[in-house]
Amino acid sequence: MTAEAPLPNPLREGLEQERIPEPTTMVIFGASGDLTKRKLLPALYSLTRERLLPARFAVVGYARKPMTDEAFRDEMRKACDEFARRRPVDPELWAAFARNIFYQEGSYDDAASFGALKKRLEEIERAQGLPGNRVYYLSTPPSSFATVVKNLGVSGLVEREAPEAKPSRFARVIIEKPFGVDLGTARRLNADIHETLSEKQIYRIDHYLGKETVQNLLVFRFANGIFEPVWNNRYVDHVQITGAETVGVEGRGGYFEQAGILRDMVQNHLFQVVSLAAMEPPVELAPDAVRDEKLKVLKALRPIPPAEMDAHVVRAQYAAGSVAGRKVPGYREEPAVSPTSQIETYVAMKFFIDSWRWAGVPFYLRSAKRMPKRVTEIAIHFKEAPNLLFGGRRRNAIRPNILAIRIQPDEGISLNFGSKLPGPAMEVAPVTMEFRYGASFGVEPPEAYERLILDCMLGDETLFTRADEVEASWTWISRIHQHWAEQSSAPGAPPLPGYPAGTWGPEAAEQLIAADGRRWRRP
Ligand code: BG6
């Protein structure tokens, strides 16, 4: 694409040659939206920079807004200057990349627009020598997902592929989140899109699966011999999963009012993390082998009986407070949020996975906005040593071993253990053994979207969620929503607890875990 010499990438040195996708045309529906600017185009630019895109490639933005190719390119250049991993963009590289960017105006629900898109794609592909492999990226409002897929089929832009077929040209569809808002809507959406596409053409994106540290759960567990033998209920006391953010709803109050943190973070991102951490070893690293094992975890989630729901699931909403020394408004004061909103911005829960491996091991999960610190991690708390030789005062210094897998930020893994305190006595002190990505590899990890877009072009579905996984996850989550809905329509419904922004959540969440004689980690 350009005369620039390939960039050195120490991680890849000595590796087998990268797989490079076939020449592809990518169409982005919802091209005038935020995701296109913040994530998708910057990801494509980075892939270009890393020489990971095919030599022939085109991206066509599609949205309702009228715009020329030039205006779209200018907008995307600004976006990449602001959001690309390496910024500002390299002018020479950008010039070559921009020649492959196009824009097509159209609506999501009218056949004529799709007819015009088809004509335009054929022209572009003829001119660029592209064979007609297509990736359609649905970054539209979720209410348009089914309509766009239907119109892709009706207009002949996609053809259903038989499950075992190896077509000469591929047509794949990436679908953004949220995939449904409950079990019913997710099932309907699956049924609707399956009328046009076979499952292997559908790539439901969950950007957490594109994160290096989330993928490392597979490597850490299954490329090392020493962890798997203790990764079960004989040695693990409990597991804590934390998805804490310092941000509020960031101008997305309208969306959040329909979602809440349980839909926004738990049903998808954190349950994907749980399923990778808890699954059995797959028989091979193939898409369905991995997803079959993840699905088993989601299916083994023990339903919480309605009578126990309040003791096992705590929700709350942030009130005004301060985060990192800055005063911030409460959720109800955010734009587009109802002043009487009952939507949760915090959730903490305890659940069990009914499998041989995890029988009796509680999983405690919490996710929230406006926490004092941004941290996503999974912490495996091991049982105490069976027979403690160190009594009395020393006994108090002994902590259970904790293996903490830090997904972000400060990506890494740490193991806490007790060590002898230097000195004449047999004193015990807790210490930490640490691995940090940054220090060990010294390279910046790729953005989640880079990996996922590339995998879709390569036809690798491993890091995309399958229809049955999404439905299994909704099955469990929807019961909680149903309970909350019944609760809030009952007379004398208790008010939603609050927590000041910048604190670790409501007292009820402390009680949830303290009732079992445990406490939340302060990561
Ligand atoms: C998105 C949610 O899917 O994930 C946001 O809609 C959330 O509310 C974001 O902030 C978190 O992603 P990350 O990669 O910043 O952890």
Side-chain angles (χ1 to χ4, degrees):
M1 231 176 161
T2 149
E4 202 184 310
L7 297 166
N9 186 338
L11 262 188
R12 298 204 156 91
E13 267 168 29
L15 291 187
E16 286 168 28
Q17 205 180 354
E18 296 289 338
R19 292 174 305 159
I20 301 286
E22 298 284 308
T24 304
T25 311
M26 179 162 156
V27 182
I28 302 176
F29 290 95
S32 54
D34 233 30
L35 188 77
T36 306
K37 293 193 191 83
R38 285 174 180 269
K39 299 286 181 192
L40 305 184
L41 259 292
L44 290 171
Y45 170 74
S46 295
L47 288 171
T48 305
R49 211 175 170 282
E50 306 272 330
R51 304 280 187 283
L52 290 173
L53 283 187
R56 279 172 295 141
F57 175 78
V59 53
V60 182
Y62 182 102
R64 298 192 192 102
K65 195 165 131 185
M67 208 185 322
T68 62
D69 288 343
E70 274 314 319
F72 186 58
R73 287 172 187 155
D74 287 348
E75 225 177 74
M76 292 306 116
R77 160 95 195 231
K78 283 191 202 108
C80 289
D81 273 334
E82 194 176 348
F83 300 113
R85 253 196 306 137
R86 300 267 175 84
R87 36 182 202 264
V89 299
D90 175 304
E92 201 188 322
L93 189 60
W94 179 265
F97 178 55
R99 282 198 287 277
N100 303 322
I101 302 179
F102 304 89
Y103 183 81
Q104 175 74 12
E105 165 197 351
S107 82
Y108 302 133
D109 51 9
D110 103 84
S113 292
F114 280 74
L117 173 64
K118 188 169 186 228
K119 204 160 148 259
R120 183 82 200 280
L121 290 178
E122 285 163 0
E123 280 165 20
I124 292 170
E125 286 167 347
R126 213 173 305 120
Q128 310 280 105
L130 285 157
N133 292 320
R134 309 249 176 90
V135 168
Y136 299 98
Y137 199 116
L138 270 56
S139 170
T140 64
S143 55
S144 298
F145 290 163
T147 317
V148 172
V149 171
K150 182 165 178 235
N151 281 325
L152 285 172
V154 170
S155 61
L157 281 163
V158 298
E159 273 174 30
R160 190 194 181 77
E161 281 175 21
E164 299 309 323
K166 299 238 176 308
S168 54
R169 292 180 310 175
F170 62 74
R172 300 177 185 139
V173 179
I174 302 182
I175 301 187
E176 256 302 327
K177 61 165 284 215
F179 197 92
V181 295
D182 56 16
L183 178 60
T185 48
R187 276 196 179 141
R188 207 166 314 128
L189 182 53
N190 273 331
D192 285 346
I193 61 179
H194 281 147
E195 281 184 16
T196 304
L197 303 164
S198 64
E199 180 64 22
K200 70 169 192 168
Q201 295 172 281
I202 303 168
Y203 289 71
R204 294 173 197 78
I205 204 162
D206 184 316
H207 79 279
Y208 267 54
L209 291 177
K211 292 181 191 278
E212 288 282 327
T213 40
V214 173
Q215 292 159 33
N216 193 38
L217 278 167
L218 285 175
V219 177
F220 183 71
R221 290 189 58 199
F222 305 129
N224 296 294
I226 68 166
F227 303 113
E228 217 33 40
V230 295
W231 209 262
N232 56 51
N233 58 3
R234 287 177 61 197
Y235 298 98
V236 175
D237 175 72
H238 73 283
V239 179
Q240 291 192 20
I241 302 108
T242 301
E245 297 181 274
T246 51
V247 292
V249 288
E250 297 186 290
R252 296 192 306 154
Y255 154 76
F256 213 80
E257 281 286 271
Q258 306 301 315
I261 203 82
L262 189 57
R263 288 190 176 90
D264 187 51
M265 288 292 295
V266 182
Q267 179 273 332
N268 42 24
H269 306 324
L270 297 181
F271 269 19
Q272 285 297 322
V273 171
V274 169
S275 54
L276 286 171
M279 72 184 205
E280 296 303 314
V283 288
E284 56 174 337
L285 206 61
D288 279 336
V290 173
R291 299 188 297 177
D292 286 348
E293 297 305 336
K294 281 162 59 199
L295 175 67
K296 283 189 211 157
V297 173
L298 296 168
K299 284 191 158 175
L301 291 170
R302 185 189 300 169
I304 303 174
E308 290 172 27
M309 200 68 95
D310 294 337
H312 285 231
V313 186
V314 166
R315 58 179 164 151
Q317 190 183 69
Y318 64 80
S322 69
V323 178
R326 196 171 57 89
K327 280 198 165 29
V328 295
Y331 176 69
R332 290 180 185 177
E333 290 125 43
E334 301 274 10
V337 170
S338 154
T340 58
S341 173
Q342 293 292 306
I343 286 298
E344 83 290 352
T345 60
Y346 178 103
V347 71
M349 57 173 75
K350 169 184 169 183
F351 60 87
F352 290 92
I353 297 171
D354 283 337
S355 65
W356 275 48
R357 183 188 286 267
W358 296 115
V361 177
F363 284 68
Y364 300 94
L365 179 151
R366 60 192 163 152
S367 181
K369 302 277 185 195
R370 289 290 190 221
M371 296 276 99
K373 191 171 168 186
R374 175 174 180 242
V375 53
T376 308
E377 67 160 35
I378 175 153
I380 316 287
H381 292 239
F382 289 92
K383 292 183 178 171
E384 285 188 343
N387 179 26
L388 280 177
L389 302 172
F390 311 93
R393 194 160 53 90
R394 300 168 193 141
R395 171 72 193 85
N396 297 334
I398 299 178
R399 312 251 187 285
N401 301 122
I402 299 173
L403 181 77
I405 301 172
R406 180 71 76 99
I407 290 168
Q408 62 191 23
D410 304 328
E411 292 80 358
I413 298 176
S414 66
L415 178 67
N416 297 357
F417 58 95
S419 169
K420 184 184 171 306
L421 197 66
M426 199 55 116
E427 298 288 344
V428 181
V431 294
T432 307
M433 204 152 72
E434 293 242 25
F435 150 68
R436 282 171 182 263
Y437 268 84
S440 294
F441 296 119
V443 290
E444 187 191 20
E447 276 276 327
Y449 280 91
E450 295 172 30
R451 169 70 195 256
L452 296 174
I453 290 172
L454 191 66
D455 276 7
C456 175
M457 287 198 271
L458 288 162
D460 185 344
E461 304 156 80
T462 314
L463 299 175
F464 293 86
T465 44
R466 213 168 53 186
D468 46 8
E469 280 182 87
V470 176
E471 291 183 15
S473 165
W474 274 125
T475 301
W476 198 85
I477 293 288
S478 291
R479 290 198 194 98
I480 301 177
H481 282 124
Q482 199 181 336
H483 174 78
W484 287 349
E486 282 161 16
Q487 202 172 47
S488 46
S489 60
L496 188 64
Y499 60 99
T503 65
W504 282 105
E507 181 51 33
E510 301 299 329
Q511 283 160 15
L512 178 149
I513 191 164
D516 297 338
R518 303 185 175 101
R519 52 189 179 152
W520 293 109
R521 249 167 79 75
R522 287 282 173 263

Short mmCIF file of all heavy atoms in Angstrom, two decimals, residues 242-276:
data_model
loop_
_atom_site.label_atom_id
_atom_site.label_comp_id
_atom_site.label_asym_id
_atom_site.label_seq_id
_atom_site.Cartn_x
_atom_site.Cartn_y
_atom_site.Cartn_z
N THR A 242 -14.49 -8.47 39.12
CA THR A 242 -14.79 -7.05 39.29
C THR A 242 -14.69 -6.34 37.94
O THR A 242 -13.72 -6.51 37.22
CB THR A 242 -13.76 -6.40 40.26
OG1 THR A 242 -13.83 -7.08 41.50
CG2 THR A 242 -14.04 -4.92 40.46
N GLY A 243 -15.72 -5.57 37.64
CA GLY A 243 -15.67 -4.70 36.44
C GLY A 243 -16.02 -3.30 36.92
O GLY A 243 -17.19 -2.92 36.90
N ALA A 244 -15.03 -2.57 37.39
CA ALA A 244 -15.29 -1.25 37.98
C ALA A 244 -14.81 -0.16 37.02
O ALA A 244 -13.71 -0.25 36.50
CB ALA A 244 -14.56 -1.13 39.31
N GLU A 245 -15.67 0.82 36.82
CA GLU A 245 -15.30 1.95 35.96
C GLU A 245 -15.42 3.24 36.75
O GLU A 245 -16.29 3.35 37.63
CB GLU A 245 -16.24 2.02 34.77
CG GLU A 245 -16.18 0.83 33.86
CD GLU A 245 -17.14 0.98 32.69
OE1 GLU A 245 -18.32 0.62 32.85
OE2 GLU A 245 -16.72 1.47 31.64
N THR A 246 -14.58 4.20 36.44
CA THR A 246 -14.70 5.50 37.11
C THR A 246 -15.66 6.41 36.37
O THR A 246 -16.21 7.33 36.95
CB THR A 246 -13.33 6.21 37.19
OG1 THR A 246 -12.75 6.21 35.88
CG2 THR A 246 -12.39 5.51 38.15
N VAL A 247 -15.86 6.12 35.09
CA VAL A 247 -16.74 6.99 34.29
C VAL A 247 -18.19 6.81 34.72
O VAL A 247 -18.55 5.80 35.33
CB VAL A 247 -16.62 6.68 32.77
CG1 VAL A 247 -15.26 7.07 32.24
CG2 VAL A 247 -16.93 5.22 32.48
N GLY A 248 -19.01 7.82 34.36
CA GLY A 248 -20.45 7.69 34.56
C GLY A 248 -21.05 7.17 33.27
O GLY A 248 -20.44 6.31 32.62
N VAL A 249 -22.19 7.73 32.86
CA VAL A 249 -22.80 7.20 31.63
C VAL A 249 -22.35 7.95 30.38
O VAL A 249 -22.79 7.65 29.28
CB VAL A 249 -24.34 7.12 31.72
CG1 VAL A 249 -24.75 6.00 32.64
CG2 VAL A 249 -24.96 8.43 32.14
N GLU A 250 -21.46 8.90 30.54
CA GLU A 250 -20.78 9.56 29.42
C GLU A 250 -21.70 10.00 28.30
O GLU A 250 -21.51 9.63 27.14
CB GLU A 250 -19.75 8.60 28.83
CG GLU A 250 -18.66 8.22 29.78
CD GLU A 250 -17.59 7.40 29.08
OE1 GLU A 250 -17.89 6.24 28.73
OE2 GLU A 250 -16.49 7.92 28.88
N GLY A 251 -22.74 10.75 28.66
CA GLY A 251 -23.64 11.28 27.63
C GLY A 251 -24.54 10.22 27.01
O GLY A 251 -25.25 10.50 26.05
N ARG A 252 -24.51 9.00 27.55
CA ARG A 252 -25.36 7.95 26.96
C ARG A 252 -26.51 7.62 27.89
O ARG A 252 -26.94 6.47 28.02
CB ARG A 252 -24.53 6.69 26.70
CG ARG A 252 -23.43 6.89 25.67
CD ARG A 252 -22.85 5.56 25.25
NE ARG A 252 -22.42 4.79 26.41
CZ ARG A 252 -22.34 3.47 26.46
NH1 ARG A 252 -22.67 2.75 25.42
NH2 ARG A 252 -21.93 2.86 27.55
N GLY A 253 -27.02 8.67 28.57
CA GLY A 253 -28.09 8.47 29.55
C GLY A 253 -29.32 7.80 28.94
O GLY A 253 -29.93 6.92 29.55
N GLY A 254 -29.66 8.22 27.71
CA GLY A 254 -30.85 7.66 27.04
C GLY A 254 -30.71 6.16 26.88
O GLY A 254 -31.62 5.38 27.18
N TYR A 255 -29.55 5.73 26.41
CA TYR A 255 -29.29 4.30 26.24
C TYR A 255 -29.28 3.59 27.60
O TYR A 255 -29.91 2.54 27.78
CB TYR A 255 -27.95 4.09 25.52
CG TYR A 255 -27.29 2.76 25.84
CD1 TYR A 255 -27.75 1.58 25.28
CD2 TYR A 255 -26.22 2.70 26.74
CE1 TYR A 255 -27.16 0.36 25.60
CE2 TYR A 255 -25.62 1.49 27.06
CZ TYR A 255 -26.10 0.32 26.49
OH TYR A 255 -25.53 -0.88 26.84
N PHE A 256 -28.60 4.19 28.56
CA PHE A 256 -28.43 3.51 29.85
C PHE A 256 -29.76 3.33 30.57
O PHE A 256 -29.95 2.34 31.29
CB PHE A 256 -27.42 4.27 30.73
CG PHE A 256 -26.63 3.34 31.60
CD1 PHE A 256 -25.55 2.64 31.09
CD2 PHE A 256 -26.98 3.13 32.92
CE1 PHE A 256 -24.83 1.74 31.88
CE2 PHE A 256 -26.28 2.23 33.72
CZ PHE A 256 -25.20 1.54 33.19
N GLU A 257 -30.67 4.27 30.35
CA GLU A 257 -32.00 4.16 30.96
C GLU A 257 -32.71 2.88 30.50
O GLU A 257 -33.57 2.34 31.18
CB GLU A 257 -32.85 5.38 30.59
CG GLU A 257 -32.54 6.62 31.41
CD GLU A 257 -33.08 6.53 32.83
OE1 GLU A 257 -34.24 6.93 33.07
OE2 GLU A 257 -32.33 6.03 33.70
N GLN A 258 -32.38 2.42 29.30
CA GLN A 258 -33.00 1.19 28.79
C GLN A 258 -32.18 -0.03 29.18
O GLN A 258 -32.62 -1.16 29.05
CB GLN A 258 -33.08 1.21 27.25
CG GLN A 258 -33.77 2.41 26.66
CD GLN A 258 -35.19 2.54 27.16
OE1 GLN A 258 -35.92 1.54 27.19
NE2 GLN A 258 -35.58 3.74 27.57
N ALA A 259 -30.94 0.21 29.61
CA ALA A 259 -30.04 -0.93 29.81
C ALA A 259 -29.79 -1.21 31.28
O ALA A 259 -30.29 -2.20 31.83
CB ALA A 259 -28.72 -0.65 29.09
N GLY A 260 -29.07 -0.32 31.95
CA GLY A 260 -28.62 -0.62 33.31
C GLY A 260 -27.35 -1.46 33.20
O GLY A 260 -27.06 -2.05 32.16
N ILE A 261 -26.61 -1.52 34.31
CA ILE A 261 -25.29 -2.15 34.27
C ILE A 261 -25.38 -3.67 34.03
O ILE A 261 -24.49 -4.28 33.44
CB ILE A 261 -24.50 -1.82 35.56
CG1 ILE A 261 -23.00 -1.96 35.33
CG2 ILE A 261 -24.94 -2.64 36.74
CD1 ILE A 261 -22.36 -0.80 34.68
N LEU A 262 -26.48 -4.27 34.47
CA LEU A 262 -26.61 -5.72 34.30
C LEU A 262 -26.64 -6.10 32.81
O LEU A 262 -26.00 -7.06 32.39
CB LEU A 262 -27.89 -6.18 35.02
CG LEU A 262 -28.13 -7.67 35.17
CD1 LEU A 262 -26.98 -8.35 35.89
CD2 LEU A 262 -29.44 -7.93 35.92
N ARG A 263 -27.39 -5.31 32.03
CA ARG A 263 -27.41 -5.57 30.58
C ARG A 263 -26.14 -5.07 29.92
O ARG A 263 -25.62 -5.70 29.00
CB ARG A 263 -28.59 -4.84 29.91
CG ARG A 263 -29.94 -5.43 30.20
CD ARG A 263 -31.00 -4.80 29.30
NE ARG A 263 -32.27 -5.43 29.52
CZ ARG A 263 -33.16 -5.02 30.42
NH1 ARG A 263 -32.93 -3.94 31.17
NH2 ARG A 263 -34.30 -5.67 30.57
N ASP A 264 -25.69 -3.90 30.36
CA ASP A 264 -24.59 -3.22 29.68
C ASP A 264 -23.26 -3.97 29.82
O ASP A 264 -22.47 -4.02 28.88
CB ASP A 264 -24.45 -1.80 30.27
CG ASP A 264 -23.45 -0.96 29.52
OD1 ASP A 264 -23.55 -0.89 28.28
OD2 ASP A 264 -22.56 -0.35 30.17
N MET A 265 -23.01 -4.53 30.98
CA MET A 265 -21.68 -5.12 31.25
C MET A 265 -21.71 -6.60 31.62
O MET A 265 -20.80 -7.34 31.29
CB MET A 265 -21.00 -4.38 32.42
CG MET A 265 -20.50 -3.00 32.11
SD MET A 265 -19.11 -2.97 30.96
CE MET A 265 -17.82 -3.80 31.88
N VAL A 266 -22.74 -7.01 32.38
CA VAL A 266 -22.67 -8.35 32.97
C VAL A 266 -23.11 -9.44 31.99
O VAL A 266 -22.39 -10.42 31.77
CB VAL A 266 -23.50 -8.42 34.28
CG1 VAL A 266 -23.38 -9.80 34.90
CG2 VAL A 266 -23.03 -7.35 35.25
N GLN A 267 -24.29 -9.25 31.38
CA GLN A 267 -24.82 -10.29 30.51
C GLN A 267 -23.83 -10.67 29.40
O GLN A 267 -23.76 -11.82 28.98
CB GLN A 267 -26.15 -9.79 29.90
CG GLN A 267 -26.81 -10.77 28.94
CD GLN A 267 -26.32 -10.63 27.51
OE1 GLN A 267 -25.89 -9.56 27.09
NE2 GLN A 267 -26.38 -11.72 26.76
N ASN A 268 -23.08 -9.71 28.96
CA ASN A 268 -22.18 -9.94 27.83
C ASN A 268 -20.72 -10.04 28.30
O ASN A 268 -20.17 -11.12 28.45
CB ASN A 268 -22.35 -8.84 26.78
CG ASN A 268 -22.48 -7.46 27.45
OD1 ASN A 268 -22.03 -7.24 28.57
ND2 ASN A 268 -23.08 -6.53 26.77
N HIS A 269 -20.11 -8.88 28.55
CA HIS A 269 -18.66 -8.84 28.78
C HIS A 269 -18.22 -9.72 29.96
O HIS A 269 -17.33 -10.55 29.83
CB HIS A 269 -18.19 -7.42 29.06
CG HIS A 269 -18.59 -6.43 28.00
ND1 HIS A 269 -18.63 -6.74 26.68
CD2 HIS A 269 -18.94 -5.11 28.09
CE1 HIS A 269 -18.99 -5.67 26.00
NE2 HIS A 269 -19.20 -4.67 26.82
N LEU A 270 -18.84 -9.51 31.12
CA LEU A 270 -18.33 -10.20 32.30
C LEU A 270 -18.69 -11.69 32.30
O LEU A 270 -17.91 -12.52 32.77
CB LEU A 270 -18.76 -9.50 33.58
CG LEU A 270 -18.20 -8.07 33.70
CD1 LEU A 270 -18.64 -7.41 35.00
CD2 LEU A 270 -16.68 -8.04 33.62
N PHE A 271 -19.84 -12.02 31.73
CA PHE A 271 -20.17 -13.44 31.63
C PHE A 271 -19.26 -14.15 30.62
O PHE A 271 -18.98 -15.35 30.75
CB PHE A 271 -21.64 -13.64 31.29
CG PHE A 271 -22.50 -13.76 32.53
CD1 PHE A 271 -22.03 -13.32 33.77
CD2 PHE A 271 -23.76 -14.33 32.48
CE1 PHE A 271 -22.80 -13.45 34.92
CE2 PHE A 271 -24.54 -14.47 33.63
CZ PHE A 271 -24.07 -14.03 34.85
N GLN A 272 -18.77 -13.44 29.63
CA GLN A 272 -17.79 -14.04 28.72
C GLN A 272 -16.50 -14.33 29.49
O GLN A 272 -15.88 -15.37 29.32
CB GLN A 272 -17.51 -13.12 27.53
CG GLN A 272 -18.62 -13.10 26.50
CD GLN A 272 -18.85 -14.45 25.85
OE1 GLN A 272 -17.91 -15.20 25.58
NE2 GLN A 272 -20.10 -14.80 25.62
N VAL A 273 -16.12 -13.38 30.34
CA VAL A 273 -14.91 -13.57 31.15
C VAL A 273 -15.10 -14.77 32.08
O VAL A 273 -14.24 -15.65 32.20
CB VAL A 273 -14.59 -12.29 31.95
CG1 VAL A 273 -13.46 -12.53 32.94
CG2 VAL A 273 -14.23 -11.14 31.01
N VAL A 274 -16.27 -14.82 32.72
CA VAL A 274 -16.56 -15.95 33.63
C VAL A 274 -16.49 -17.26 32.86
O VAL A 274 -15.89 -18.25 33.32
CB VAL A 274 -17.95 -15.79 34.29
CG1 VAL A 274 -18.38 -17.06 35.00
CG2 VAL A 274 -17.95 -14.61 35.25
N SER A 275 -17.07 -17.29 31.66
CA SER A 275 -17.12 -18.59 30.99
C SER A 275 -15.72 -19.03 30.56
O SER A 275 -15.42 -20.23 30.60
CB SER A 275 -18.14 -18.62 29.85
OG SER A 275 -17.90 -17.59 28.96
N LEU A 276 -14.86 -18.10 30.18
CA LEU A 276 -13.49 -18.50 29.83
C LEU A 276 -12.71 -18.95 31.06
O LEU A 276 -11.88 -19.86 31.00
CB LEU A 276 -12.74 -17.33 29.17
CG LEU A 276 -13.14 -17.03 27.73
CD1 LEU A 276 -12.52 -15.73 27.26
CD2 LEU A 276 -12.73 -18.17 26.80
#
